[in-house]
Amino acid sequence: MKHLQAAKAVVRAFYEELDAPGTDLETVLIRHTAADYLWRGFHPFNELTDATDVARRFWKPLRQSLTSLQRREDIFFAGRNQMDGFQGTWVVSMGHLMGLFDAPFLGIPSAGKIVMLRYCEFHRVENGKIAQTAMYFDLPHLMEQAGITAFPRQTAAQLVQPGPMTHDGLLFEAQPEQEGEATLAVINQMIGDLGQWDNDLSLEDELRQTWCEDMLWWGPTGIGATYTIPRYAQQHSGLFRAAFSDRSKTTHTARLAEGAYGGFAGWPNFTARLSGDFMGRPATNEIGEFRVIDIYRRKGDKLAENWIFIDLLHFWKGQGYDVLQQLNDGKFT
């Protein structure tokens, strides 16, 4: 357990410096990351391989746009990575980056009002440094707060999403090892169920194998949040399965759990063919990539809450719909 606590301390020290007002962002990134640092972020940032680039291309513009920035963290945990035989150690942070939207960001107009950007980060910690980061953030969520609707036919609810109902997601202290094992086991069972789109169970009964009946699914803007198994099946899962075919096997960069919390990140997690209408847009019959982070809270032997980050801007750009280009061309009013 000591290695997990040490890794958490690395990330907490990084955040303490990164989030301080007036900090030298380049210096902080260089100090806390490895020489061969790999940073993966949602479109349009994608892969960056230099800490200075991460500071200059992502953090500086974000801090200039969202002034008085605060990290409002809801979930924090660490674990060994199942995907490399439990050799690597990763630390996960999820919540909102809150600030005053005082200058445009990526063409998203500012309004001088408080905004909250959903984020989730997976950090691989090695030799006391952050060696790799998956930094996923919901840009359509920020757009909605600025009055821009890129995906008008959302099937679930548009919300500024809360943290866990139990308010116990910040695992700064060590957790019983068996609790993390139980969480990872049900996540793995759920992933196995997801790969069986042609089984004999109804969708609702398939979900009931690993989900609480009153599950909460906190989805990305463009899809939305939904509550209970029947509404999740109606407002997202059933629609997704109807719209896509030729889904590839699921692959993850990291999959881990600690206590009642766990999750995974992929680059991409899977590919699928858009063979039906989805999110108000027509079928293209093209294969698309899904870059996803999922975070889960376990209750008993089932999953109770799920926070999802999907790089919808990357997916739709691959389908011929470039949201940020449309925005900068003045197509949204």
Side-chain angles (χ1 to χ4, degrees):
M1 304 302 289
K2 289 183 179 179
H3 64 278
L4 296 186
Q5 292 304 107
K8 291 178 190 177
V10 169
V11 173
R12 293 185 72 186
F14 170 57
Y15 283 166
E16 184 176 4
E17 288 196 50
L18 180 70
D19 297 343
T23 191
D24 185 329
L25 294 167
E26 292 181 35
T27 299
V28 170
L29 265 292
I30 292 169
R31 177 161 43 240
H32 290 275
T33 60
D36 58 350
Y37 183 49
L38 172 62
W39 186 94
R40 286 170 165 166
F42 275 3
H43 177 79
F45 299 97
N46 302 303
E47 285 192 344
L48 300 175
T49 57
D50 182 87
T52 300
D53 275 353
V54 177
R56 291 177 179 175
R57 295 178 59 183
F58 177 73
W59 283 110
K60 281 189 176 181
L62 183 69
R63 292 280 286 265
Q64 289 165 356
S65 295
L66 273 59
T67 63
S68 301
L69 194 70
Q70 290 184 1
R71 183 182 304 273
R72 300 182 68 87
E73 197 171 44
D74 294 311
I75 292 174
F76 183 88
F77 66 92
R80 291 287 199 180
N81 181 15
Q82 177 183 327
M83 307 315 295
D84 65 3
F86 300 99
Q87 297 302 304
T89 300
W90 291 71
V91 179
V92 178
S93 171
M94 189 207 84
H96 293 85
L97 298 175
M98 184 191 80
L100 297 171
F101 203 175
D102 285 342
F105 184 65
L106 300 173
I108 304 169
S110 59
K113 299 178 181 179
I114 186 174
V115 289
M116 301 183 75
L117 175 63
R118 297 179 68 224
Y119 83 91
C120 188
E121 284 186 286
F122 275 58
H123 299 287
R124 179 168 62 85
V125 177
E126 188 174 89
N127 299 322
K129 300 283 187 178
I130 298 172
Q132 182 174 341
T133 295
M135 172 56 169
Y136 293 4
F137 37 86
D138 194 338
L139 287 176
H141 182 253
L142 185 64
M143 292 172 67
E144 281 285 348
Q145 293 172 78
I148 303 295
T149 298
F151 305 110
R153 295 182 61 187
Q154 184 159 289
T155 52
Q158 171 64 34
L159 301 168
V160 173
Q161 299 177 3
M165 185 181 71
T166 47
H167 300 283
D168 62 355
L170 298 175
L171 307 186
F172 297 139
E173 304 301 325
Q175 304 296 308
E177 190 170 347
Q178 63 271 22
E179 291 297 312
E181 292 172 351
T183 301
L184 191 58
V186 71
I187 290 172
N188 283 328
Q189 183 184 348
M190 179 274 302
I191 292 169
D193 290 345
L194 279 178
Q196 306 299 317
W197 284 17
D198 57 352
N199 63 33
D200 294 330
L201 296 174
S202 68
L203 174 55
E204 290 84 351
D205 284 343
E206 175 193 308
L207 292 166
R208 288 185 177 105
Q209 294 181 106
T210 51
W211 292 94
C212 297
E213 191 69 25
D214 60 348
M215 65 174 286
L216 281 155
W217 193 83
W218 303 108
T221 289
I223 299 170
T226 188
Y227 172 46
T228 75
I229 284 176
R231 293 298 171 89
Y232 170 62
Q234 173 190 345
Q235 295 174 347
H236 173 62
S237 187
L239 299 172
F240 188 89
R241 294 192 184 196
F244 289 93
S245 59
D246 299 329
R247 174 173 169 153
S248 70
K249 291 184 178 180
T250 300
T251 59
H252 294 142
T253 304
R255 189 188 305 169
L256 56 139
E258 184 184 24
Y261 292 88
F264 52 72
W267 191 265
N269 300 52
F270 65 94
T271 61
R273 186 181 306 279
L274 183 59
S275 50
D277 296 353
F278 186 61
M279 293 175 59
R281 299 198 60 80
T284 63
N285 206 40
E286 296 292 332
I287 293 286
E289 288 186 342
F290 286 87
R291 301 168 174 173
V292 184
I293 277 178
D294 274 62
I295 301 296
Y296 301 91
R297 177 176 69 86
R298 175 180 56 84
K299 179 182 178 182
D301 61 354
K302 293 188 177 181
L303 300 172
E305 292 189 84
N306 182 197
W307 295 262
I308 305 90
F309 298 78
I310 304 174
D311 195 349
L312 291 173
L313 299 188
H314 171 72
F315 169 77
W316 283 113
K317 187 174 187 292
Q319 303 295 313
Y321 179 51
D322 188 334
V323 171
L324 293 181
Q325 187 63 56
Q326 294 274 316
L327 175 64
N328 285 282
D329 287 347
K331 299 294 180 65
F332 301 125
T333 58

